[in-house]
Amino acid sequence: MTDRILVAPSILSADFTRLGDEVEALSSYGADYVHLDVMDGNFVPNITFGAPMCRALRPRSDLVFDAHLMVAEPAKWVKDFADAGADIITIHAEADIHAHRTLQLIRACGKKAGIALNPATHHSAAEYLLDSADMVLVMSVNPGFGGQKFIPAVLKKIEAIRETAVRRGLDIDIEVDGGVNAETAKLCRDAGANVLVAGNAVFKAADRKEMVSIIRGN
Ligand code: DX5
Ligand code: ZN
């Protein structure tokens, strides 16, 4: 885990007609990651894009590609995303009865492994996965759509996961995803999160560079 707060704009809120240019511009805003929201219309009630989009966008940026798989049976797609150039591959605990095995598979592909928890999922769902994960993604909205309102109840979950990680001496990133803006970003940072996803807050901002810096907290 880095001490620095990292900002991961979600391209779900970008202009899809100019996605390559949108991704290319992210480094000029000071962003750290490109967050790719992959939805299958099964695990979540929406469909976005798959590994071919990751592959197509890959040459447009040197930033870390952060693939958030909101799909049923994510193990089926791990290799495709690894081959398509994702650097971090995150699966949902609720979507995989063999999440531990899938995290190992992600690492065996040479990628960082993330485990995501829906707002209704207790932090204990990640308890036995922390040794096999590089990141825990705490959903602060119900996955499926950008532009939703932040659920403050997840702040306690972020605190609990950070407390566990510190107690166990684990070097783990905590990413928060959904409804992160200038106000809620501070709450997440104070609770112990160090990677902040922001879709609408960044892409709808008048000054995207300034917004990335506000979310980072400087
Ligand atoms: C929700 C996605 C989020 C979302 C973030 O299913 O995982 O990444 O697009 O968008 P905002 O920041 O607009 O809530
Ligand atoms: Zn996401």
Side-chain angles (χ1 to χ4, degrees), residues 26 88 96 126 141 176 187 198 204 215:
L26 287 177
I88 306 171
D96 193 341
V141 299
V176 185
L187 303 176
K204 309 280 185 251
I215 288 169

Side-chain angles (χ1 to χ4, degrees), residues 10 12-13 35 37 39 44 68 70 139 141-148 177-180 197-201:
S10 165
L12 186 59
S13 304
H35 186 82
D37 282 312
M39 305 187 189
V44 288
H68 176 195
M70 288 163 276
M139 287 301 310
V141 299
N142 287 293
F145 304 93
Q148 302 181 77
D177 186 5
V180 173
V197 177
N200 273 29

Side-chain angles (χ1 to χ4, degrees), residues 10 33 46 123 150 161 184 209:
S10 165
Y33 292 177
N46 199 4
H123 55 83
F150 185 86
I161 296 166
T184 57
K209 188 174 180 184

Side-chain angles (χ1 to χ4, degrees), residues 73-88:
E73 298 182 66
K76 286 189 196 165
W77 308 106
V78 165
K79 199 171 175 305
D80 282 3
F81 277 91
D83 291 346
D87 301 293
I88 306 171

Side-chain angles (χ1 to χ4, degrees), residues 6-213:
L6 304 176
V7 182
S10 165
I11 59 168
L12 186 59
S13 304
D15 179 351
F16 274 22
T17 67
R18 325 173 23 254
L19 213 41
D21 296 341
E22 294 271 69
V23 165
E24 198 169 299
L26 287 177
S27 58
S28 70
Y29 309 148
D32 302 282
Y33 292 177
V34 179
H35 186 82
L36 296 103
D37 282 312
V38 178
M39 305 187 189
D40 68 349
N42 182 10
F43 178 64
V44 288
N46 199 4
I47 298 176
T48 54
F49 46 74
M53 182 66 86
C54 181
R55 183 184 301 279
L57 294 171
R58 184 66 273 191
R60 304 295 297 266
S61 175
D62 292 331
L63 297 181
V64 168
F65 270 37
D66 175 29
H68 176 195
L69 306 192
M70 288 163 276
V71 306
E73 298 182 66
K76 286 189 196 165
W77 308 106
V78 165
K79 199 171 175 305
D80 282 3
F81 277 91
D83 291 346
D87 301 293
I88 306 171
I89 301 176
T90 296
I91 61 161
H92 269 261
E94 306 85 1
D96 193 341
I97 52 173
H98 298 297
H100 187 275
R101 178 187 287 152
T102 307
L103 293 174
Q104 288 180 312
L105 172 64
I106 295 168
R107 282 183 164 178
C109 291
K111 307 298 180 178
K112 285 194 170 180
I115 185 73
L117 304 178
N118 279 337
T121 303
H122 195 271
H123 55 83
S124 61
E127 181 80 17
Y128 298 103
L129 299 172
L130 293 181
D131 290 305
S132 310
D134 301 288
M135 183 168 87
V136 179
L137 187 164
V138 176
M139 287 301 310
S140 40
V141 299
N142 287 293
F145 304 93
Q148 302 181 77
K149 203 171 169 310
F150 185 86
I151 300 169
V154 306
L155 291 167
K156 271 198 157 52
K157 194 184 323 192
I158 299 167
E159 284 172 11
I161 296 166
R162 179 57 72 206
E163 198 264 324
T164 304
V166 169
R167 181 167 35 83
R168 287 170 52 182
L170 296 170
D171 179 22
I172 202 148
D173 288 314
I174 301 180
E175 181 174 60
V176 185
D177 186 5
V180 173
N181 56 32
E183 292 78 44
T184 57
K186 180 173 182 348
L187 303 176
C188 296
R189 296 193 305 266
D190 290 349
N194 68 309
V195 187
L196 302 175
V197 177
N200 273 29
V202 168
F203 283 100
K204 309 280 185 251
D207 185 335
R208 294 175 175 181
K209 188 174 180 184
E210 183 185 35
M211 184 51 68
V212 167
S213 146

